[in-house]
Amino acid sequence: MNCEIQRYILAIIFSCTIIAVHSQSKANATNADSFVLACGATTNATDFDGRKWISDSKIITFKDSLSATAQSQDPSLPSTVPYMTARIFKSEATYKFPVYPKNRHWIRLHFYPSSYENFDSRSSFFSVKANGFTLLNNFSAFITCEALTQAYIIREFTMIKLESGVLDLTFTPSANSFAFINGIEIISMPEIFQAVAMVGFSDKNVHAESYTMQTMLRLNVGGQYIAASNDSGLSRTWYDDSPYIYGAGFGVTTEADKNVTIAYPSQESKYIAPSDVYRTARSMGPNVTVNQNYNLTWIFQVDVNFTYLVRLHFCEFHFDKVNQRAFRIFINNQTAELEADVIAWSGGKGVPIYKDYAIYVNSRTSDYQLWLALHPDVEVKPEFYDSILNGVEIFKLNDSKGNIAGPNPASSSSKSNKSGIITGSVLGSLAGIGLVFGLIAFLIHKNRKDKDELSSSTVGWLPMYGSSRSSETNTTSKSSGSSRISSLGGGLCRHFTLAEIKLGTDNFSEARVIGVGGFGKVYKGFIDGNTKTVAIKRANPSSDQGIREFCNEIELLSKLRHRHLVSLIGACEENNEMILVYDYMANGTLREHLFKNSNFPLSWRQRLGICIGAAKGIHYLHTGAKYTIIHRDVKSTNILLDEKWVAKVSDFGLSKTGQALNQTHVSTIVKGSFGYLDPEYFRRQQLTEKSDVYSFGVVLFEVLCGRPALNPSLPKEQVSLADWAITNHKRSTLQDIVDPHIKEEINLECFKHFTETAVKCLSDHGLDRPSMGDVLWNLENCLQLQSCQGTTQLAANERANDATLLSIEEDNETSNESEVLSLNAAFSRVVDSKGR
Ligand SMILES: *[C@@H]1O[C@H](CO)[C@@H](O)[C@H](O)[C@H]1NC(C)=O
Ligand SMILES: *[C@@H]1O[C@H](CO)[C@@H](O)[C@H](O)[C@H]1NC(C)=O
Ligand SMILES: *[C@@H]1O[C@H](CO)[C@@H](O)[C@H](O)[C@H]1NC(C)=O
Ligand SMILES: *[C@@H]1O[C@H](CO)[C@@H](O)[C@H](O)[C@H]1NC(C)=O
Ligand SMILES: *[C@@H]1O[C@H](CO)[C@@H](O)[C@H](O)[C@H]1NC(C)=O
Ligand SMILES: *[C@@H]1O[C@H](CO)[C@@H](O)[C@H](O)[C@H]1NC(C)=O
Ligand SMILES: *[C@@H]1O[C@H](CO)[C@@H](O)[C@H](O)[C@H]1NC(C)=O
Ligand SMILES: *[C@@H]1O[C@H](CO)[C@@H](O)[C@H](O)[C@H]1NC(C)=O
Ligand SMILES: *[C@@H]1O[C@H](CO)[C@@H](O)[C@H](O)[C@H]1NC(C)=O
Ligand SMILES: *[C@@H]1O[C@H](CO)[C@@H](O)[C@H](O)[C@H]1NC(C)=O
């Protein structure tokens, strides 16, 4: 009781100081002195989100500068504006922006390292300074983007108030080099910083309002990506936090009820973060015992020898009383806060609040990492042993010399170290921007390079299902030596102990083996007290695959989640064992049900359902994230089926194209699987989402015809299913190659619609192919048509057609017809022999 009263008093005191803080930050948030420049552009233009970018050509003319257009457009660019044009500087040059002296300003620099006429961004190194602050030093946009496998990069800084009223942005090329810039934003912002206490010192404050900072990271904890256009007026981008969570303790994500409104304590506090940040949170979970025994932990990679401002956003939307939820906050293992109680701080349900902490990170004590951990504060006996967080921002403060630039990531020539460095500097130096997807793409791309693309078996690192003991070609990459999951970004996926794995597989019992590959064996296993069935893949110790790369890949892949994508659950590395744990797919691959199990053929409706599921998975990769992910290896062995026959795409996230970056280094090896390869990609070596659409078209025909994409034992013109289907489409004889198992079931309208869609997917030119969204829509239509009553079945119609053909066009068609019939007979034999 006493405690309650005490907390109530505390709540009043706190809410007063907070209001005071907010009124202090009364600032001018008008955008009167904001600039959004498309550098090197000749005209004003709007980007994909409808934002207007002003050409910089009229504003300033530089003597030693030129404007240039990028020679190629990477498909992952969010918009051509401002990335397709650049201003290039051969010597030092300065933009001067008149700014309102009482306001802080965001500076956002956009870089797209491509080739600009004679300027290859690979050889571009430069520094950027602004009013005595070094924002970037000997910066290479190329190296940075390559490490991130992103096509472009945005760097965000926040500049202190400039009494002079002029913001000077100076680009200085390094020796024998040039500088370039694609877009500049100077955005007026209110002063949102104030004095902050140093963690671990009772008496040391950092006056954050007098620092220029770089945004390292901005996360909507427990929530989703928030686009700049949906920010609360300061055009910030917020990202999902799950890639940064350490270990198995993911906690649970929660969302405010619709009837809870976010009640900002003041008009100014709206600028702090948009309500979407406060409406979602991550907390520890319902089990008090579990919560007492773990820390909800995030790990961020940072540059050393800098002070960081860690801003935590909170909003309590479940509880409304003090001491219902009280917790401790640790930053780099030091106590930043005891008895953190959001209601006590904010004064009520739905009221947002933020807390700032400053910490110095040096190389000796914290190893390029910044840890944030939450734990229930059991000592104050809260009603619930839990903790909560809604958002995090991390800012790097200028050092005493005015520097905020970190080093470039290690360049790709130092290959053996690459992955480690990437995890370090990427996570560290990222101001967001599709980090996870970028890394996934990079790592898979890398992995894929090492694979034999002709192999028709399940690809390298994926678990294999069913009993197919396919032999895989070994990878050629060299193991990069000792590695520990824990050292890789702090372990972003769930960690299992070897004991857990042994228990779950009967000590790797041979009876549990469900697949064998070049990487090792796959076991069916159980985790979480036998409640969950999983596929456990154990690396063969002699496997050549770079374990470190492998870990990285896995840790990042575990974050891509969708109902129609196979999930990686976690990994175990102990006693030199490298073990991966995936969702178990009870029904194996689509392929084995199409051609290997003709005793229990899938019905046409089942097949349609599976196609729709797979299409949803691929559609999600293409559009579900802000950054397009091109699968690059869509095929029936990569579509897995769970116990309810729900289709899940596996081996996803292959690569966005690196063409723009690798202009001169044109890969002569086209990746993918034969039989599914997009001919345009083959010819032009340009990868787009439409390559996946092509491959998916082949899968649709596999499903319809019940034969593999490639069958070398057939006569030449039939070897490739794609070619054979197109030939039959032209001859209007597609119904002849339909899988006999489904011929009776399939309805004529549905058949027409389905084959039209599949044929379009196989168009020679990517532009003529539908998007995955269209394919999905069409397939759903097919399913509806199939359900329609009173329509003709294909088989019946075919019999009628055959009769007409024979009677009317007997003379012309007889030879053709009989040829087709005999081919069909041959085909049926092949199917049968495979089935038995
Ligand atoms: C905000 O800035 C505008 C123009 O920069 C200025 O005219 C206005 O007086 C300022 N408002 C306040 C409250 O400072
Ligand atoms: C672009 O817009 C700005 C301001 O809206 C205007 O001053 C300028 O003349 C425009 N430039 C071009 C090339 O249209
Ligand atoms: C700039 O960075 C590159 C690669 O990181 C390095 O080779 C070069 O020596 C650096 N130049 C200077 C002046 O530091
Ligand atoms: C902004 O939010 C709205 C509503 O949540 C959403 O429909 C829209 O797609 C978002 N805009 C962007 C660019 O993400
Ligand atoms: C909000 O809705 C939930 C159910 O959705 C209900 O339990 C709760 O009482 C409502 N809260 C308010 C303040 O109306
Ligand atoms: C909480 O978890 C512990 C350990 O996993 C378990 O023994 C206990 O039954 C759980 N309690 C509840 C209420 O679920
Ligand atoms: C950080 O500072 C320490 C001590 O001044 C120095 O030895 C170390 O090299 C610095 N590290 C980096 C990466 O600059
Ligand atoms: C949580 O983190 C703190 C600070 O690093 C540490 O002292 C404590 O032992 C951790 N608790 C658990 C349960 O891991
Ligand atoms: C925090 O403590 C954990 C566990 O004791 C340790 O592994 C980690 O390196 C520490 N982190 C920092 C930044 O000191
Ligand atoms: C950068 O930060 C230091 C504090 O370390 C401060 O004294 C200095 O004035 C700031 N600005 C510059 C240009 O150095």
Side-chain angles (χ1 to χ4, degrees):
M1 194 59 198
N2 256 344
C3 182
E4 278 263 318
I5 291 168
Q6 211 176 346
R7 298 208 134 244
Y8 187 62
I9 294 166
L10 267 180
I12 294 169
I13 296 169
F14 266 110
S15 46
C16 292
T17 48
I18 280 139
I19 287 163
V21 164
H22 284 307
S23 54
Q24 250 176 35
S25 67
K26 191 174 275 174
N28 197 330
T30 62
N31 282 351
D33 58 342
S34 295
F35 301 85
V36 181
L37 295 189
C39 303
T42 48
T43 56
N44 294 341
T46 50
D47 68 13
F48 185 73
D49 285 338
R51 194 165 186 210
K52 194 172 173 195
W53 294 73
I54 306 296
S55 153
D56 71 342
S57 59
K58 281 202 178 157
I59 295 182
I60 305 156
T61 48
F62 300 104
K63 55 175 173 11
D64 211 6
S65 90
L66 46 111
S67 54
T69 305
Q71 279 171 0
S72 61
Q73 179 180 346
D74 191 286
S76 65
L77 287 178
S79 166
T80 55
V81 180
Y83 298 104
M84 286 302 285
T85 61
R87 184 158 298 278
I88 290 175
F89 306 104
K90 289 184 276 181
S91 60
E92 186 171 297
T94 302
Y95 285 89
K96 286 187 182 294
F97 298 99
V99 293
Y100 187 66
K102 291 196 174 142
N103 281 10
R104 200 175 248 284
H105 288 82
W106 295 121
I107 301 176
R108 295 200 186 96
L109 305 176
H110 298 249
F111 300 101
Y112 171 42
S114 178
S115 277
Y116 296 92
E117 283 140 41
N118 298 323
F119 296 89
D120 183 344
S121 61
R122 235 174 295 206
S123 53
S124 165
F125 289 88
F126 56 95
S127 301
V128 179
K129 294 200 166 75
N131 296 59
F133 293 97
T134 304
L135 306 184
L136 297 171
N137 185 29
N138 190 32
F139 173 70
S140 166
F142 178 82
I143 292 174
T144 310
C145 281
E146 195 186 49
L148 289 156
T149 52
Q150 288 178 189
Y152 69 105
I153 189 164
I154 305 168
R155 283 279 185 260
E156 183 185 273
F157 304 91
T158 167
M159 171 60 89
I160 52 164
K161 293 169 189 162
L162 297 170
E163 300 296 339
S164 65
V166 179
L167 194 159
D168 292 320
L169 197 61
T170 303
F171 290 80
T172 313
S174 300
N176 302 321
S177 188
F178 67 96
F180 75 99
I181 177 81
N182 301 86
I184 301 174
E185 293 175 61
I186 308 289
I187 306 284
S188 189
M189 64 184 282
E191 180 57 77
I192 55 172
F193 302 105
Q194 61 289 138
V196 186
M198 287 290 277
V199 172
F201 298 87
S202 54
D203 55 347
K204 230 170 147 177
N205 277 341
V206 173
H207 291 273
E209 68 276 14
S210 57
Y211 284 81
T212 289
M213 309 176 198
Q214 181 189 343
T215 310
M216 302 300 283
L217 178 128
R218 181 173 286 129
L219 304 177
N220 177 13
V221 175
Q224 289 177 342
Y225 171 81
I226 300 175
S229 52
N230 277 352
D231 187 37
S232 56
L234 297 183
S235 54
R236 292 164 296 200
T237 311
W238 301 73
Y239 293 87
D240 175 10
D241 69 312
S242 50
Y244 302 90
I245 292 174
Y246 170 70
F250 263 74
V252 294
T253 60
T254 54
E255 200 175 341
D257 264 329
K258 288 206 177 61
N259 58 8
V260 173
T261 49
I262 301 302
Y264 286 99
S266 68
Q267 202 58 31
E268 286 80 12
S269 62
K270 281 190 180 158
Y271 290 114
I272 299 298
S275 60
D276 284 350
V277 169
Y278 294 117
R279 297 195 74 86
T280 58
R282 191 178 293 279
S283 56
M284 298 185 79
N287 189 321
V288 172
T289 326
V290 170
N291 292 357
Q292 277 187 76
N293 290 320
Y294 89 103
N295 282 349
L296 184 53
T297 307
W298 293 259
I299 298 181
F300 310 109
Q301 302 292 322
V302 292
D303 297 324
V304 294
N305 295 349
F306 285 100
T307 300
Y308 291 87
L309 175 87
V310 179
R311 172 164 292 186
L312 307 181
H313 296 269
F314 299 100
C315 181
E316 185 63 76
F317 43 71
H318 287 320
F319 301 135
D320 52 8
K321 291 191 192 65
V322 165
N323 212 28
Q324 282 188 304
R325 167 148 55 192
F327 52 97
R328 296 184 171 180
I329 302 172
F330 303 103
I331 296 180
N332 270 3
N333 296 343
Q334 302 182 59
T335 305
E337 198 84 58
L338 290 169
E339 301 177 34
D341 185 326
V342 177
I343 292 291
W345 283 339
S346 70
K349 191 172 174 179
V351 181
I353 177 80
Y354 67 90
K355 286 281 174 177
D356 288 343
Y357 304 95
I359 186 142
Y360 183 73
V361 174
N362 66 30
S363 47
R364 198 168 32 82
T365 57
S366 37
D367 199 23
Y368 296 82
Q369 291 186 341
L370 205 152
W371 288 49
L372 170 65
L374 307 180
H375 189 75
D377 192 346
V378 180
E379 268 169 37
V380 300
K381 297 197 168 44
E383 191 177 342
F384 300 99
Y385 286 180
D386 200 355
S387 53
I388 184 173
L389 184 65
N390 302 64
V392 191
E393 288 174 281
I394 296 180
F395 300 96
K396 178 166 68 178
L397 273 52
N398 76 278
D399 70 11
S400 56
K401 295 186 185 110
N403 180 51
I404 21 177
N408 282 325
S411 92
S412 54
S413 48
S414 53
K415 220 165 188 157
S416 56
N417 269 332
K418 192 165 180 177
S419 308
I421 289 162
I422 281 161
T423 325
S425 50
V426 159
L427 294 180
S429 54
L430 134 126
I433 313 138
L435 159 81
V436 177
F437 297 126
L439 274 184
I440 288 170
F442 166 70
L443 291 162
I444 301 199
H445 180 69
K446 202 163 156 35
N447 186 39
R448 188 54 57 104
K449 268 188 198 153
D450 298 330
K451 260 186 311 225
D452 180 353
E453 53 281 345
L454 298 187
S455 163
S456 63
S457 59
T458 326
V459 280
W461 54 270
L462 263 185
M464 277 172 304
Y465 298 90
S467 53
S468 63
R469 293 182 173 251
S470 52
S471 67
E472 295 178 73
T473 46
N474 272 333
T475 58
T476 51
S477 68
K478 281 273 162 247
S479 165
S480 43
S482 70
S483 82
R484 290 285 170 271
I485 298 177
S486 50
S487 70
L488 294 170
L492 299 168
C493 72
R494 176 162 170 189
H495 291 212
F496 291 91
T497 62
L498 190 55
E500 272 178 284
I501 300 285
K502 281 188 172 167
L503 187 69
T505 55
D506 276 350
N507 201 9
F508 300 111
S509 157
E510 284 297 314
R512 293 281 190 82
V513 173
I514 53 172
V516 180
F519 183 79
K521 288 182 179 168
V522 183
Y523 301 81
K524 178 176 177 176
F526 301 95
I527 55 166
D528 293 345
N530 286 357
T531 54
K532 189 165 171 57
T533 314
V534 292
I536 294 179
K537 193 167 189 181
R538 182 192 195 189
N540 175 350
S542 62
S543 163
D544 238 2
Q545 186 157 5
I547 286 179
R548 175 182 279 258
E549 288 159 26
F550 192 93
C551 288
N552 253 344
E553 181 174 290
I554 294 323
E555 296 203 354
L556 291 153
L557 280 172
S558 64
K559 302 305 169 297
L560 204 54
R561 297 209 183 271
H562 184 266
R563 178 173 154 82
H564 294 289
L565 300 178
V566 170
S567 307
L568 176 82
I569 298 167
C572 160
E573 196 197 28
E574 220 175 288
N575 292 352
N576 295 325
E577 293 269 6
M578 179 70 221
I579 294 161
L580 302 168
V581 181
Y582 297 84
D583 266 352
Y584 179 71
M585 296 289 115
N587 280 312
T589 69
L590 171 60
R591 182 189 171 90
E592 70 199 61
H593 291 283
L594 289 178
F595 332 124
K596 290 193 178 158
N597 195 0
S598 54
N599 291 335
F600 302 98
L602 294 172
S603 73
W604 173 239
R605 280 167 157 282
Q606 261 179 319
R607 293 183 197 201
L608 268 180
I610 289 165
C611 291
I612 289 172
K616 283 182 181 163
I618 301 167
H619 178 57
Y620 173 79
L621 292 177
H622 289 179
T623 61
K626 176 87 173 174
Y627 310 92
T628 302
I629 298 167
I630 300 172
H631 187 294
R632 281 182 87 185
D633 205 8
V634 173
K635 55 182 179 181
S636 51
T637 32
N638 282 340
I639 297 172
L640 305 183
L641 302 166
D642 75 2
E643 70 287 356
K644 293 180 182 136
W645 299 95
V646 173
K648 309 216 176 203
V649 177
S650 69
D651 190 19
F652 47 82
L654 224 193
S655 180
K656 71 172 179 57
T657 172
Q659 294 305 314
L661 303 179
N662 281 330
Q663 201 99 96
T664 56
H665 169 75
V666 173
S667 158
T668 49
I669 307 161
V670 175
K671 323 289 184 205
S673 298
F674 272 134
Y676 299 89
L677 262 187
D678 169 10
E680 189 173 50
Y681 171 40
F682 203 85
R683 279 196 309 273
R684 297 177 47 203
Q685 316 226 340
Q686 254 196 12
L687 190 65
T688 71
E689 306 93 284
K690 294 296 179 69
S691 301
D692 285 349
V693 173
Y694 183 91
S695 308
F696 192 68
V698 179
V699 172
L700 291 180
F701 276 116
E702 287 185 278
V703 164
L704 181 73
C705 306
R707 60 151 281 189
L710 273 190
N711 185 346
S713 64
L714 289 175
K716 199 169 155 229
E717 74 167 338
Q718 299 183 40
V719 169
S720 154
L721 174 60
D723 293 346
W724 184 228
I726 295 294
T727 308
N728 279 279
H729 172 68
K730 287 188 183 140
R731 295 184 192 156
S732 306
T733 53
L734 269 178
Q735 65 268 37
D736 297 336
I737 62 168
V738 172
D739 185 349
H741 293 114
I742 52 168
K743 241 180 175 167
E744 293 295 328
E745 185 192 352
I746 190 166
N747 135 343
L748 182 63
E749 287 305 311
C750 176
F751 168 78
K752 280 186 183 157
H753 204 69
F754 185 89
T755 50
E756 262 168 39
T757 307
V759 165
K760 270 191 208 142
C761 290
L762 297 185
S763 300
D764 220 21
H765 297 287
L767 282 176
D768 301 333
R769 292 174 209 150
S771 70
M772 217 52 220
D774 292 338
V775 173
L776 177 57
W777 191 83
N778 278 309
L779 290 176
E780 278 173 342
N781 249 350
C782 286
L783 190 59
Q784 282 196 343
L785 289 169
Q786 181 66 34
S787 315
C788 286
Q789 298 297 315
T791 42
T792 339
Q793 298 311 113
L794 175 67
N797 174 266
E798 195 189 19
R799 282 190 291 272
N801 267 354
D802 282 354
T804 2
L805 268 182
L806 289 174
S807 60
I808 297 170
E809 295 175 275
E810 206 168 358
D811 295 345
N812 304 336
E813 295 292 329
T814 325
S815 58
N816 246 351
E817 190 69 17
S818 57
E819 185 191 329
V820 172
L821 286 174
S822 71
L823 292 175
N824 261 355
F827 170 59
S828 313
R829 275 199 303 278
V830 173
V831 170
D832 285 353
S833 68
K834 285 230 155 179
R836 304 225 161 111

